[in-house]
Amino acid sequence: TTWGRLSSEVKTMLIRAEISYDALKDIKDVDYSPAIIPLTKALENILNEYIYHGGIYQYLCKNNLSKTYKKICHYEGDRYCPNESVTMGAFEFMFKNYTTYAGGTLKKVLGYNEQDVRRTKIIDNITELLKDVTEYRNRVAHKDGVKDTIMQECREKIMLKDYAIIKNLFKLF
């Protein structure tokens, strides 16, 4: 099952998100930021585990390309080094450019094959949903916060619906 493939840390984040959501859902005009943060962080952790550490990190280290990919690297001493993890925004960018990102490494990590229409549709779906989820996560930092409709959409796009990112990501691995 999808749940069985999640790390205990990710499971804890998803549980916290649902507990926070449940505590807030009956309050009128409430900001759902406390529920959206662990939900999107859980997704970010999954992407770091399966995508970034599934090949991108190793590619950057092996080919000494950290300077080329500065958004996901840091300067240490006299050289650039890959970060241990990357942000949702970085994943959104990676997926938008999945056929060429990191010399095609992301394409390999995802098992992309242009003849495999099903797999391509899954990757394209994840790419589109990541754009929305990144926008939802960014709303948390602004004064408007997150309304109920946005929280519902985010929950559906990350984990609840058949097309959700987590469910589809595990169809690739």
Side-chain angles (χ1 to χ4, degrees):
T1 68
T2 300
W3 184 255
R5 296 179 70 182
L6 300 175
S7 69
S8 59
E9 182 180 13
V10 168
K11 287 177 182 176
T12 299
M13 288 178 195
L14 292 173
I15 291 168
R16 281 188 188 138
E18 285 300 294
I19 290 170
S20 297
Y21 171 75
D22 197 49
L24 297 170
K25 70 181 179 186
D26 294 327
I27 302 171
K28 187 177 179 171
D29 297 325
V30 71
D31 178 7
Y32 284 88
S33 294
I36 212 163
I37 292 170
L39 179 60
T40 56
K41 188 67 181 167
L43 175 60
E44 192 174 81
N45 280 13
I46 293 167
L47 292 168
N48 269 292
E49 180 181 350
Y50 284 89
I51 304 297
Y52 187 62
H53 286 286
I56 302 296
Y57 180 84
Q58 295 82 346
Y59 174 81
L60 295 175
C61 292
K62 179 181 168 190
N63 295 292
N64 196 23
L65 291 173
S66 299
K67 191 171 183 179
T68 306
Y69 297 92
K70 289 181 185 175
K71 286 191 174 211
I72 59 172
C73 299
H74 64 279
Y75 197 72
E76 191 174 288
D78 61 344
R79 63 190 176 100
Y80 283 94
C81 302
N83 294 339
E84 285 302 312
S85 62
V86 296
T87 64
M88 191 76 72
F91 284 115
E92 180 190 358
F93 180 81
M94 286 180 201
F95 271 82
K96 274 196 283 191
N97 301 287
Y98 71 87
T99 58
T100 58
Y101 192 83
T105 300
L106 181 55
K107 181 169 69 172
K108 292 176 192 155
V109 170
L110 296 172
Y112 172 77
N113 174 344
E114 59 189 42
Q115 276 75 44
D116 188 343
V117 176
R118 180 185 157 274
R119 184 171 284 273
T120 301
K121 282 183 180 178
I122 290 171
I123 296 168
D124 289 344
N125 177 56
I126 291 171
T127 302
E128 189 61 35
L129 294 174
L130 270 177
K131 184 177 110 188
D132 294 340
V133 169
T134 301
E135 180 186 318
Y136 303 152
R137 175 123 178 223
N138 290 341
R139 285 178 181 233
V140 171
H142 301 292
K143 66 179 181 143
D144 295 334
V146 178
K147 304 290 180 214
D148 180 53
T149 54
I150 297 297
M151 184 64 202
Q152 285 293 357
E153 286 176 24
C154 191
R155 291 172 73 235
E156 289 173 2
K157 291 177 181 183
I158 290 178
M159 65 180 188
L160 295 180
K161 297 289 185 177
D162 287 338
Y163 61 80
I165 297 171
I166 293 174
K167 292 178 182 181
N168 277 296
L169 190 62
F170 284 118
K171 290 178 184 175
L172 300 173
F173 296 97

